[in-house]
Every structure is written in C-alpha cells, then in structure tokens.
Amino acid sequence: MTETVWWKRGTVYQVYPRSFQDTDGDGVGDLPGITARLDYLAWLGVDAVWISPVYPSPMADFGYDVADYCGIDPLFGTLADFDTLVAEAHRRKLKVILDFVPNHSSIAHPWFTQSRSSRQSPKRDWYIWRDPAPDGGPPNNWLSNFGGPAWTLDPATGQYYYHAFLPEQPDLNWREPAVRAAMHDALRFWLERGVDGFRVDVIWHLMKDAGFRDNPENPGYRPGAPEINRFHQVYSADQPEVFAVIAGMRAVLAPYGERVLIGEIYLPIERLMAYYGPDLTGADLPFNFQLIQTPWKAGAVRDLVESYEAALPPGGWPNWVLGNHDQPRIAARVGEAQARVAAMLLLTLRGTPTLYYGDEIGLAHVPVPPERVRDPWERNEPGHGRDPERTPMQWDDAPNAGFSEAEPWLPLAADWPARNVEALRDAPGSILTLHRRLLRLRREHPALSVGDYRTVAAAGDEVFAYERFAGPETMRVLLNFGADARTEPLSEGAWTILLSTRAGRGGEATRDSVALGPDEGVILLRG
Ligand code: GLC
C-alpha cells in the first residue's frame, strides 16, 4: 500500500508566496524565502507545496493576472531561484505544485496586446471578442466575479472583450487550437523544470457557451451578496466541452509520470464529480471545497462526507480542503477550539488533504484597516475582500514576526508575538504540535492515508464518528463539535487513544466507551 501514488498518500500545503517569507526586505515574500522555510515544511510533515502564482504580473489580482507563462516575476526572484527551490524541495522529498492560470492572462500579456491591436490580428481569436449589443451595450448579461459587467469595450476596434474577473484579466479563448498549443507548451516548460503538478485556476471556467446566451436570473439573490450571484452561471462556465480541454492537459502531463493535476472548482457535488472526467481523464483531484461551504455542525458534516463519498466515480480519489487564499480562515469561522477539531477532521478523512499556510498555527481573521486594503475585490465589493486570509506567516517574535525586515504588505495578527512557529513548536498543547502529530500519524498508518472509510453511529448529535481501516488496522475518529463533555460508546474490545486534540491523552486505554471533553476530538486504535 505504500506504493500508492504520492498525491493520494500525501498532504498538500498551500503557500501564498507574498506572505510566506521575505528575504530581500521589501515586505513581500519571495522564492528564496520559501526555500529557506523548506526545513520547516519537512519538519511539519507535509508532502507537497503548492505555490500560488509567481509569474511575471502587473499584480492587478496578485499574480492571478499572468503576463508571461514561462517566467518568474522579479518581485519573487528569478528562474534560477525557482530551480533552486525545486531542487531543495526534492532533496527533502517534498513535491512542488505550481499554480497554473489558463482561463485568463493579464491585460499586459503580449498576446493580448496583439489581440487588441486590430480585428485582423492573427491573435484576435486568442481572446473572446464580441460586437456590442444593438444598443451599444455589452454583448450579453454575464457579470464579473469581482462585480460589474464581464465585458469591457475596446474603443479602438469597437468590440467588447470578455473577462470573468477583472478587466485586467481578459479570458483566453480555449476554442482556439493555437491557445491550447501555447498553454500546453507552458505546462511542458515547467514539467521539464521538474515540477510535480499543477493546481489549475478556475478550471470550470475554461469553456463558455458557444452561443453566448444570457445567464438566467437567480430568484434567490439577496442584495449584499456578491453581484455575480444575481445570475446562475449556466452559460458562462461549466460547459461540456471543458472535459476535452482538461483531458488535453492530462495528456501533456502523462509522459512525465506521477504528476498531479488539481482543478479549482466551485460547484455543487454532482457537478464537481464530472471533473474527474469520462474514464477519469479529468483532474486527478477536483478540489472539494464542500467543508468550507457546509455549516459547522456534526450532522451536516457527516451528511456531507457521506454524500461526497457516495458521489465519487469508481476509482476517483477524494480530497478535502478547509481554507485557501480566497476563503475566510477556518479558525475565524469556527473559533480556536473547533479549529483543532477541524484539523483532526481534515487530516483523518479519506482523501488528499490540502492545508493552507498559517492554519497550522491557528491564524484567524486579521482585521485590515481601510487604508491597507489590497484586494481589488474588496475595493469593488466591500466586505468580500480576501486580504484577511492572506496576511504574513508568523515565524517568531523578531520584528515583523520574522517574516520580513520591512513593514509587511499586509498587517500581522495582533497576537503574533505569542502566535508564531517558534513559540508553538515545542508546546505540547499547541495547535501546531497537533498538526504535526496528525501528519505523523497519517504517514505512519496506511489506515489513515489510504484506508477505507465508514461512518459510525454516534450517541449525540454533536459528535461525528467514523472509522478508517486498512488490513488488520482499524482507527476510530470521534469529533465533538459541541461545547459539552460527552461519553461515546465504542464497539466491543480494547481501544487505545493515539491522539487527542487535547494534550496528554495519548496512550490512554479504554473499553466500551470513551469520554470526550468539550470541543475534543480523539483518534483511537482498535486492539
Ligand atoms: C481563482 C483564484 C483567485 C483569483 C481568481 C481569478 O479563484 O484562487 O485568487 O482571484 O481565480 O484568477
């Protein structure tokens, strides 16, 4: 079982490079910074690092606006720095996953400059250009995910171009074979440099309705929600033609061996499953964000896990995510005590976990004063910005938490002098120690990494209980989502507590039942 491919067995750790470690004193993290912290990641016990975009970019959307798919932005370093990072990661048996942003480029990409230069440009069809509606307005009712229309008029050529995000992020036209070929070349460029896979940005957006039909209105829309929700995105994304595009990417990766293709997909479970592709020719891991979107209640989470497991296609490998650079931090959402339960859940469910940097030290919501707002979405639609989950990693109690010698680009959490890696790494009861122990258990026990899953009936409706098992080994996980102590029955026989979210219970033996404190999770081994 140890031969299972690495991306099924392992844990992915997401680094938001602007906020991980600065080495050149500009207040923004960089590639040498990530390299300098690889020992930490190896110590923590993760298996792969996914790095949010580091390509040359005007940074309108902090790197998700790419001006060159085969380079590194000087802010982050050089290609040589990147090669060093890959080599040093591999030396520590860590895989490197790059963020790939194929849906749109930057408005500053030379492809777009050429495309907009004239209607006759050979690159005109590399982007999505349409004539104005009869009244001169946008071609249809599609909206930008960051608010406002998704079409911007180019006065010089008299047509609108489509952008699912900012006007600075024009969508590429994936119906154009030359675009596919250029993007495949970009994938190969990085594969040749040794990257172990890609996280593909907004993969469900790549194909749009060929007829550009209007999206239907969403009668459930409530003002205050992001404007994009005024319509159901029926025609602007998630089109059947996308699966051939994804299969095309998979085919580029195939000759390189065990490389992983992860797809970013915000869709309900039934639609999400389609992204494993016909005969599993789709994404290896269509990102499963359901835990982020489900109420934090034992019953709701249990139902979610069961329906997700049941919906998986044969051979489709599950995965779980609690947070990323676009979502409120888990500790902000569920509180400090439940963040530990959440960590135990993430790292004991069946499927590849992705851990967001900083969650392992319990980083919560960091308030960002108006004058320090950086996220363009916050400027367009106040209240929806993502700065609070993108703040610098807190390493020690040196100035700026050891992140930078300069004022960081986003503020630190107020509690950084106490909440940092240095302070928490040897504290037996810290959330960091808990993550490390969970990751170690996952590595040591195939039942946890590649074993099967089954739900177990729990006595109260505040507890979610399940088993993971492989060969002779059975582990039972009991998670108390409530603030009351409880006693939960166990199946017959002897059980040993391997790990609790509270320090000091490891090794405790029990039969018939186990006592759970408020907000406590435990992992028991049978026998
Ligand atoms: C993805 C990224 C997000 C970005 C958007 C546009 O959702 O995760 O950060 O703003 O795509 O590229």
Side-chain angles (χ1 to χ4, degrees), residues 245-299:
V245 169
I246 301 172
M249 292 184 186
R250 274 286 295 275
V252 172
L253 268 61
Y256 292 87
E258 290 189 355
R259 313 291 167 118
V260 70
L261 193 77
I262 305 175
E264 185 203 21
I265 300 148
Y266 284 94
L267 288 174
I269 289 182
E270 327 77 70
R271 290 304 310 147
L272 175 64
M273 292 305 164
Y275 284 76
Y276 283 98
D279 303 319
L280 300 184
T281 54
D284 296 304
L285 301 174
F287 255 151
N288 166 16
F289 298 131
Q290 303 294 321
L291 280 176
I292 299 176
Q293 293 159 338
T294 300
W296 197 253
K297 299 253 187 270

Short mmCIF file of all heavy atoms in Angstrom, two decimals, residues 245-299:
data_model
loop_
_atom_site.label_atom_id
_atom_site.label_comp_id
_atom_site.label_asym_id
_atom_site.label_seq_id
_atom_site.Cartn_x
_atom_site.Cartn_y
_atom_site.Cartn_z
N VAL A 245 -10.81 19.70 -22.96
CA VAL A 245 -9.69 20.60 -22.67
C VAL A 245 -8.86 20.04 -21.51
O VAL A 245 -7.62 20.01 -21.56
CB VAL A 245 -10.21 22.01 -22.33
CG1 VAL A 245 -9.10 22.88 -21.78
CG2 VAL A 245 -10.84 22.65 -23.57
N ILE A 246 -9.55 19.57 -20.48
CA ILE A 246 -8.82 19.04 -19.32
C ILE A 246 -8.09 17.75 -19.70
O ILE A 246 -6.93 17.55 -19.32
CB ILE A 246 -9.78 18.83 -18.13
CG1 ILE A 246 -10.46 20.17 -17.76
CG2 ILE A 246 -9.04 18.27 -16.93
CD1 ILE A 246 -11.56 20.05 -16.72
N ALA A 247 -8.77 16.91 -20.47
CA ALA A 247 -8.10 15.68 -20.92
C ALA A 247 -6.84 16.02 -21.72
O ALA A 247 -5.82 15.33 -21.63
CB ALA A 247 -9.07 14.84 -21.77
N GLY A 248 -6.91 17.12 -22.47
CA GLY A 248 -5.73 17.57 -23.21
C GLY A 248 -4.58 17.92 -22.29
O GLY A 248 -3.42 17.60 -22.56
N MET A 249 -4.88 18.56 -21.17
CA MET A 249 -3.82 18.90 -20.20
C MET A 249 -3.26 17.62 -19.57
O MET A 249 -2.05 17.47 -19.39
CB MET A 249 -4.37 19.79 -19.09
CG MET A 249 -4.77 21.17 -19.54
SD MET A 249 -5.31 22.13 -18.09
CE MET A 249 -5.86 23.60 -18.92
N ARG A 250 -4.18 16.71 -19.24
CA ARG A 250 -3.73 15.44 -18.66
C ARG A 250 -2.77 14.72 -19.60
O ARG A 250 -1.77 14.13 -19.19
CB ARG A 250 -4.94 14.53 -18.37
CG ARG A 250 -5.59 14.78 -17.03
CD ARG A 250 -4.75 14.24 -15.88
NE ARG A 250 -4.62 12.80 -15.91
CZ ARG A 250 -5.48 11.95 -15.41
NH1 ARG A 250 -6.56 12.39 -14.80
NH2 ARG A 250 -5.27 10.64 -15.47
N ALA A 251 -3.08 14.79 -20.88
CA ALA A 251 -2.24 14.11 -21.87
C ALA A 251 -0.85 14.75 -21.92
O ALA A 251 0.15 14.06 -22.17
CB ALA A 251 -2.90 14.16 -23.25
N VAL A 252 -0.77 16.05 -21.66
CA VAL A 252 0.55 16.69 -21.63
C VAL A 252 1.35 16.18 -20.43
O VAL A 252 2.55 15.94 -20.51
CB VAL A 252 0.40 18.24 -21.57
CG1 VAL A 252 1.75 18.91 -21.35
CG2 VAL A 252 -0.27 18.75 -22.84
N LEU A 253 0.67 15.98 -19.30
CA LEU A 253 1.36 15.53 -18.09
C LEU A 253 1.77 14.05 -18.17
O LEU A 253 2.79 13.65 -17.59
CB LEU A 253 0.47 15.73 -16.85
CG LEU A 253 0.60 17.05 -16.09
CD1 LEU A 253 0.25 18.24 -16.98
CD2 LEU A 253 -0.24 17.08 -14.83
N ALA A 254 0.97 13.27 -18.89
CA ALA A 254 1.12 11.80 -18.85
C ALA A 254 2.54 11.29 -19.04
O ALA A 254 3.01 10.48 -18.24
CB ALA A 254 0.16 11.18 -19.85
N PRO A 255 3.27 11.74 -20.07
CA PRO A 255 4.61 11.17 -20.28
C PRO A 255 5.58 11.47 -19.14
O PRO A 255 6.65 10.86 -19.08
CB PRO A 255 5.10 11.82 -21.58
CG PRO A 255 4.06 12.74 -22.05
CD PRO A 255 2.90 12.70 -21.13
N TYR A 256 5.23 12.39 -18.26
CA TYR A 256 6.15 12.77 -17.18
C TYR A 256 5.98 11.92 -15.92
O TYR A 256 6.61 12.20 -14.90
CB TYR A 256 5.99 14.26 -16.86
CG TYR A 256 6.46 15.15 -17.98
CD1 TYR A 256 5.61 15.52 -19.01
CD2 TYR A 256 7.79 15.59 -18.03
CE1 TYR A 256 6.06 16.32 -20.07
CE2 TYR A 256 8.24 16.39 -19.07
CZ TYR A 256 7.36 16.75 -20.08
OH TYR A 256 7.81 17.54 -21.12
N GLY A 257 5.09 10.93 -15.97
CA GLY A 257 4.96 10.04 -14.81
C GLY A 257 4.02 10.59 -13.76
O GLY A 257 3.01 11.19 -14.08
N GLU A 258 4.40 10.41 -12.51
CA GLU A 258 3.45 10.70 -11.40
C GLU A 258 3.32 12.19 -11.14
O GLU A 258 3.81 12.70 -10.14
CB GLU A 258 3.91 9.99 -10.14
CG GLU A 258 3.75 8.49 -10.22
CD GLU A 258 4.00 7.81 -8.88
OE1 GLU A 258 4.40 8.49 -7.90
OE2 GLU A 258 3.81 6.59 -8.81
N ARG A 259 2.67 12.90 -12.03
CA ARG A 259 2.42 14.33 -11.81
C ARG A 259 0.93 14.48 -11.53
O ARG A 259 0.12 13.73 -12.04
CB ARG A 259 2.80 15.15 -13.05
CG ARG A 259 4.16 14.81 -13.63
CD ARG A 259 5.30 15.23 -12.73
NE ARG A 259 6.53 14.61 -13.18
CZ ARG A 259 7.60 15.28 -13.60
NH1 ARG A 259 7.60 16.60 -13.60
NH2 ARG A 259 8.68 14.64 -13.99
N VAL A 260 0.61 15.49 -10.76
CA VAL A 260 -0.80 15.63 -10.35
C VAL A 260 -1.45 16.84 -11.02
O VAL A 260 -0.80 17.87 -11.23
CB VAL A 260 -0.92 15.72 -8.81
CG1 VAL A 260 -0.37 17.04 -8.26
CG2 VAL A 260 -2.37 15.53 -8.37
N LEU A 261 -2.70 16.69 -11.39
CA LEU A 261 -3.49 17.80 -11.91
C LEU A 261 -4.65 18.04 -10.96
O LEU A 261 -5.53 17.20 -10.79
CB LEU A 261 -4.01 17.48 -13.31
CG LEU A 261 -4.57 18.69 -14.06
CD1 LEU A 261 -3.44 19.55 -14.61
CD2 LEU A 261 -5.45 18.25 -15.22
N ILE A 262 -4.59 19.20 -10.30
CA ILE A 262 -5.64 19.59 -9.36
C ILE A 262 -6.47 20.69 -10.02
O ILE A 262 -5.90 21.60 -10.62
CB ILE A 262 -5.03 20.13 -8.04
CG1 ILE A 262 -4.06 19.11 -7.45
CG2 ILE A 262 -6.12 20.49 -7.04
CD1 ILE A 262 -3.31 19.61 -6.20
N GLY A 263 -7.78 20.61 -9.92
CA GLY A 263 -8.60 21.64 -10.54
C GLY A 263 -9.35 22.45 -9.50
O GLY A 263 -9.96 21.88 -8.59
N GLU A 264 -9.30 23.77 -9.62
CA GLU A 264 -10.10 24.61 -8.73
C GLU A 264 -11.53 24.66 -9.27
O GLU A 264 -11.76 25.11 -10.39
CB GLU A 264 -9.54 26.04 -8.66
CG GLU A 264 -10.30 26.88 -7.64
CD GLU A 264 -10.22 28.38 -7.86
OE1 GLU A 264 -9.93 28.81 -8.99
OE2 GLU A 264 -10.46 29.12 -6.90
N ILE A 265 -12.48 24.19 -8.49
CA ILE A 265 -13.87 24.10 -8.95
C ILE A 265 -14.83 24.43 -7.81
O ILE A 265 -14.89 23.71 -6.82
CB ILE A 265 -14.20 22.66 -9.45
CG1 ILE A 265 -13.27 22.29 -10.61
CG2 ILE A 265 -15.66 22.56 -9.90
CD1 ILE A 265 -12.94 20.84 -10.68
N TYR A 266 -15.57 25.51 -7.96
CA TYR A 266 -16.63 25.82 -7.01
C TYR A 266 -17.96 25.44 -7.63
O TYR A 266 -18.57 26.23 -8.36
CB TYR A 266 -16.61 27.31 -6.64
CG TYR A 266 -15.48 27.67 -5.69
CD1 TYR A 266 -14.27 28.13 -6.15
CD2 TYR A 266 -15.65 27.52 -4.31
CE1 TYR A 266 -13.23 28.45 -5.27
CE2 TYR A 266 -14.64 27.84 -3.42
CZ TYR A 266 -13.42 28.30 -3.91
OH TYR A 266 -12.42 28.61 -3.02
N LEU A 267 -18.37 24.19 -7.43
CA LEU A 267 -19.65 23.71 -7.96
C LEU A 267 -20.23 22.74 -6.94
O LEU A 267 -19.50 22.17 -6.12
CB LEU A 267 -19.43 22.97 -9.29
CG LEU A 267 -19.06 23.80 -10.53
CD1 LEU A 267 -18.76 22.89 -11.71
CD2 LEU A 267 -20.17 24.79 -10.90
N PRO A 268 -21.56 22.52 -7.01
CA PRO A 268 -22.16 21.53 -6.11
C PRO A 268 -21.63 20.12 -6.41
O PRO A 268 -21.13 19.87 -7.52
CB PRO A 268 -23.65 21.61 -6.41
CG PRO A 268 -23.84 22.71 -7.39
CD PRO A 268 -22.51 23.17 -7.88
N ILE A 269 -21.75 19.21 -5.43
CA ILE A 269 -21.13 17.89 -5.53
C ILE A 269 -21.41 17.18 -6.86
O ILE A 269 -20.48 16.67 -7.50
CB ILE A 269 -21.58 16.98 -4.35
CG1 ILE A 269 -20.94 17.48 -3.05
CG2 ILE A 269 -21.19 15.53 -4.59
CD1 ILE A 269 -21.26 16.64 -1.82
N GLU A 270 -22.66 17.18 -7.31
CA GLU A 270 -22.98 16.42 -8.54
C GLU A 270 -22.17 16.94 -9.72
O GLU A 270 -21.68 16.17 -10.55
CB GLU A 270 -24.46 16.49 -8.93
CG GLU A 270 -25.47 16.58 -7.83
CD GLU A 270 -25.55 17.99 -7.24
OE1 GLU A 270 -26.05 18.92 -7.90
OE2 GLU A 270 -25.09 18.13 -6.08
N ARG A 271 -22.06 18.27 -9.84
CA ARG A 271 -21.31 18.85 -10.96
C ARG A 271 -19.81 18.67 -10.75
O ARG A 271 -19.06 18.43 -11.70
CB ARG A 271 -21.63 20.34 -11.10
CG ARG A 271 -23.01 20.67 -11.60
CD ARG A 271 -23.32 20.02 -12.94
NE ARG A 271 -22.28 20.25 -13.93
CZ ARG A 271 -21.95 19.36 -14.87
NH1 ARG A 271 -22.56 18.21 -14.95
NH2 ARG A 271 -20.99 19.64 -15.73
N LEU A 272 -19.38 18.79 -9.51
CA LEU A 272 -17.96 18.63 -9.19
C LEU A 272 -17.45 17.28 -9.69
O LEU A 272 -16.36 17.17 -10.26
CB LEU A 272 -17.79 18.75 -7.67
CG LEU A 272 -16.41 18.50 -7.10
CD1 LEU A 272 -15.42 19.55 -7.61
CD2 LEU A 272 -16.45 18.53 -5.57
N MET A 273 -18.25 16.23 -9.47
CA MET A 273 -17.81 14.88 -9.82
C MET A 273 -17.50 14.73 -11.30
O MET A 273 -16.67 13.93 -11.71
CB MET A 273 -18.87 13.86 -9.39
CG MET A 273 -18.99 13.75 -7.89
SD MET A 273 -17.39 13.38 -7.14
CE MET A 273 -17.71 13.79 -5.42
N ALA A 274 -18.19 15.52 -12.13
CA ALA A 274 -17.96 15.44 -13.58
C ALA A 274 -16.50 15.76 -13.91
O ALA A 274 -15.98 15.34 -14.95
CB ALA A 274 -18.89 16.39 -14.31
N TYR A 275 -15.83 16.50 -13.02
CA TYR A 275 -14.47 16.95 -13.31
C TYR A 275 -13.41 15.89 -13.10
O TYR A 275 -12.23 16.12 -13.37
CB TYR A 275 -14.19 18.27 -12.57
CG TYR A 275 -14.88 19.40 -13.28
CD1 TYR A 275 -16.26 19.59 -13.15
CD2 TYR A 275 -14.20 20.20 -14.17
CE1 TYR A 275 -16.92 20.58 -13.86
CE2 TYR A 275 -14.84 21.20 -14.89
CZ TYR A 275 -16.21 21.38 -14.73
OH TYR A 275 -16.85 22.35 -15.46
N TYR A 276 -13.82 14.70 -12.60
CA TYR A 276 -12.90 13.55 -12.69
C TYR A 276 -12.79 13.12 -14.15
O TYR A 276 -11.86 12.41 -14.52
CB TYR A 276 -13.39 12.39 -11.82
CG TYR A 276 -13.13 12.61 -10.34
CD1 TYR A 276 -14.10 13.09 -9.49
CD2 TYR A 276 -11.87 12.32 -9.81
CE1 TYR A 276 -13.86 13.30 -8.14
CE2 TYR A 276 -11.61 12.52 -8.47
CZ TYR A 276 -12.61 13.00 -7.64
OH TYR A 276 -12.35 13.21 -6.31
N GLY A 277 -13.76 13.56 -14.95
CA GLY A 277 -13.70 13.33 -16.39
C GLY A 277 -14.21 11.96 -16.77
O GLY A 277 -14.25 11.04 -15.95
N PRO A 278 -14.59 11.81 -18.06
CA PRO A 278 -15.00 10.49 -18.54
C PRO A 278 -13.82 9.52 -18.39
O PRO A 278 -12.70 9.87 -18.77
CB PRO A 278 -15.33 10.72 -20.03
CG PRO A 278 -15.21 12.19 -20.27
CD PRO A 278 -14.56 12.84 -19.11
N ASP A 279 -14.07 8.36 -17.82
CA ASP A 279 -13.00 7.37 -17.58
C ASP A 279 -11.80 7.98 -16.85
O ASP A 279 -10.65 7.66 -17.15
CB ASP A 279 -12.53 6.74 -18.89
CG ASP A 279 -13.67 6.09 -19.63
OD1 ASP A 279 -14.50 5.45 -18.97
OD2 ASP A 279 -13.74 6.24 -20.87
N LEU A 280 -12.09 8.86 -15.91
CA LEU A 280 -11.03 9.50 -15.11
C LEU A 280 -9.97 10.20 -15.97
O LEU A 280 -8.79 10.21 -15.63
CB LEU A 280 -10.36 8.50 -14.15
CG LEU A 280 -11.25 7.81 -13.12
CD1 LEU A 280 -10.40 6.92 -12.21
CD2 LEU A 280 -12.03 8.81 -12.26
N THR A 281 -10.39 10.81 -17.05
CA THR A 281 -9.45 11.58 -17.87
C THR A 281 -9.44 13.05 -17.47
O THR A 281 -8.84 13.89 -18.15
CB THR A 281 -9.82 11.51 -19.37
OG1 THR A 281 -11.19 11.92 -19.51
CG2 THR A 281 -9.61 10.11 -19.92
N GLY A 282 -10.12 13.37 -16.38
CA GLY A 282 -10.18 14.76 -15.94
C GLY A 282 -9.11 15.09 -14.92
O GLY A 282 -8.01 14.53 -14.95
N ALA A 283 -9.44 15.97 -13.99
CA ALA A 283 -8.50 16.33 -12.93
C ALA A 283 -8.30 15.12 -12.01
O ALA A 283 -9.25 14.39 -11.73
CB ALA A 283 -9.04 17.52 -12.14
N ASP A 284 -7.05 14.92 -11.56
CA ASP A 284 -6.82 13.86 -10.56
C ASP A 284 -7.57 14.21 -9.30
O ASP A 284 -8.16 13.35 -8.65
CB ASP A 284 -5.33 13.75 -10.24
CG ASP A 284 -4.50 13.33 -11.43
OD1 ASP A 284 -4.81 12.27 -12.00
OD2 ASP A 284 -3.56 14.07 -11.80
N LEU A 285 -7.50 15.49 -8.94
CA LEU A 285 -8.16 15.97 -7.73
C LEU A 285 -8.97 17.22 -8.08
O LEU A 285 -8.42 18.32 -8.12
CB LEU A 285 -7.12 16.32 -6.65
CG LEU A 285 -6.19 15.20 -6.20
CD1 LEU A 285 -5.12 15.75 -5.24
CD2 LEU A 285 -6.96 14.08 -5.51
N PRO A 286 -10.26 17.06 -8.36
CA PRO A 286 -11.09 18.26 -8.47
C PRO A 286 -11.30 18.79 -7.05
O PRO A 286 -11.86 18.08 -6.20
CB PRO A 286 -12.41 17.72 -9.05
CG PRO A 286 -12.14 16.30 -9.48
CD PRO A 286 -11.01 15.81 -8.62
N PHE A 287 -10.78 19.96 -6.79
CA PHE A 287 -10.79 20.47 -5.41
C PHE A 287 -12.19 20.39 -4.81
O PHE A 287 -13.17 20.84 -5.40
CB PHE A 287 -10.33 21.93 -5.37
CG PHE A 287 -8.93 22.12 -4.86
CD1 PHE A 287 -8.17 23.19 -5.31
CD2 PHE A 287 -8.37 21.26 -3.91
CE1 PHE A 287 -6.87 23.39 -4.84
CE2 PHE A 287 -7.08 21.46 -3.43
CZ PHE A 287 -6.34 22.52 -3.90
N ASN A 288 -12.25 19.84 -3.62
CA ASN A 288 -13.52 19.67 -2.91
C ASN A 288 -13.61 20.72 -1.81
O ASN A 288 -12.98 20.58 -0.76
CB ASN A 288 -13.57 18.25 -2.34
CG ASN A 288 -14.66 18.06 -1.33
OD1 ASN A 288 -15.58 18.87 -1.22
ND2 ASN A 288 -14.56 16.99 -0.56
N PHE A 289 -14.37 21.78 -2.07
CA PHE A 289 -14.50 22.89 -1.12
C PHE A 289 -15.73 22.76 -0.24
O PHE A 289 -16.15 23.74 0.39
CB PHE A 289 -14.54 24.22 -1.87
CG PHE A 289 -13.30 24.50 -2.68
CD1 PHE A 289 -13.39 24.89 -4.01
CD2 PHE A 289 -12.04 24.40 -2.11
CE1 PHE A 289 -12.24 25.17 -4.75
CE2 PHE A 289 -10.89 24.67 -2.84
CZ PHE A 289 -11.00 25.06 -4.17
N GLN A 290 -16.33 21.57 -0.22
CA GLN A 290 -17.62 21.44 0.46
C GLN A 290 -17.52 21.72 1.96
O GLN A 290 -18.47 22.23 2.56
CB GLN A 290 -18.20 20.03 0.23
CG GLN A 290 -18.37 19.68 -1.23
CD GLN A 290 -19.40 20.53 -1.93
OE1 GLN A 290 -20.43 20.84 -1.35
NE2 GLN A 290 -19.12 20.94 -3.16
N LEU A 291 -16.38 21.40 2.58
CA LEU A 291 -16.26 21.65 4.02
C LEU A 291 -16.32 23.15 4.31
O LEU A 291 -16.76 23.57 5.38
CB LEU A 291 -14.95 21.09 4.57
CG LEU A 291 -14.87 19.60 4.87
CD1 LEU A 291 -13.45 19.24 5.31
CD2 LEU A 291 -15.87 19.18 5.95
N ILE A 292 -15.85 23.94 3.35
CA ILE A 292 -15.85 25.39 3.53
C ILE A 292 -17.28 25.91 3.48
O ILE A 292 -17.62 26.90 4.12
CB ILE A 292 -15.00 26.06 2.42
CG1 ILE A 292 -13.55 25.58 2.51
CG2 ILE A 292 -15.08 27.58 2.50
CD1 ILE A 292 -12.65 26.10 1.39
N GLN A 293 -18.11 25.21 2.72
CA GLN A 293 -19.45 25.73 2.45
C GLN A 293 -20.54 25.10 3.32
O GLN A 293 -21.70 25.47 3.22
CB GLN A 293 -19.77 25.53 0.96
CG GLN A 293 -18.87 26.41 0.10
CD GLN A 293 -18.75 25.94 -1.33
OE1 GLN A 293 -18.97 24.79 -1.63
NE2 GLN A 293 -18.39 26.86 -2.22
N THR A 294 -20.17 24.11 4.14
CA THR A 294 -21.16 23.39 4.94
C THR A 294 -21.20 23.97 6.36
O THR A 294 -20.14 24.27 6.92
CB THR A 294 -20.78 21.90 4.98
OG1 THR A 294 -20.77 21.42 3.64
CG2 THR A 294 -21.77 21.08 5.80
N PRO A 295 -22.40 24.11 6.95
CA PRO A 295 -22.45 24.60 8.34
C PRO A 295 -21.62 23.71 9.27
O PRO A 295 -21.59 22.49 9.07
CB PRO A 295 -23.94 24.51 8.70
CG PRO A 295 -24.67 24.41 7.40
CD PRO A 295 -23.72 23.81 6.41
N TRP A 296 -20.97 24.32 10.23
CA TRP A 296 -20.07 23.58 11.12
C TRP A 296 -20.88 22.88 12.22
O TRP A 296 -20.89 23.30 13.37
CB TRP A 296 -18.99 24.50 11.69
CG TRP A 296 -17.85 23.71 12.25
CD1 TRP A 296 -17.55 23.52 13.57
CD2 TRP A 296 -16.90 22.97 11.51
NE1 TRP A 296 -16.46 22.69 13.69
CE2 TRP A 296 -16.05 22.33 12.44
CE3 TRP A 296 -16.68 22.74 10.14
CZ2 TRP A 296 -14.98 21.50 12.05
CZ3 TRP A 296 -15.64 21.93 9.75
CH2 TRP A 296 -14.80 21.32 10.70
N LYS A 297 -21.57 21.81 11.82
CA LYS A 297 -22.38 21.02 12.75
C LYS A 297 -22.06 19.56 12.46
O LYS A 297 -21.90 19.18 11.29
CB LYS A 297 -23.87 21.22 12.47
CG LYS A 297 -24.36 22.64 12.62
CD LYS A 297 -25.20 22.75 13.88
CE LYS A 297 -25.87 24.08 14.04
NZ LYS A 297 -25.14 25.08 14.74
N ALA A 298 -22.01 18.75 13.52
CA ALA A 298 -21.62 17.35 13.34
C ALA A 298 -22.48 16.66 12.28
O ALA A 298 -21.98 15.99 11.38
CB ALA A 298 -21.73 16.61 14.68
N GLY A 299 -23.81 16.85 12.37
CA GLY A 299 -24.71 16.17 11.45
C GLY A 299 -24.51 16.62 10.01
O GLY A 299 -24.50 15.80 9.08
#
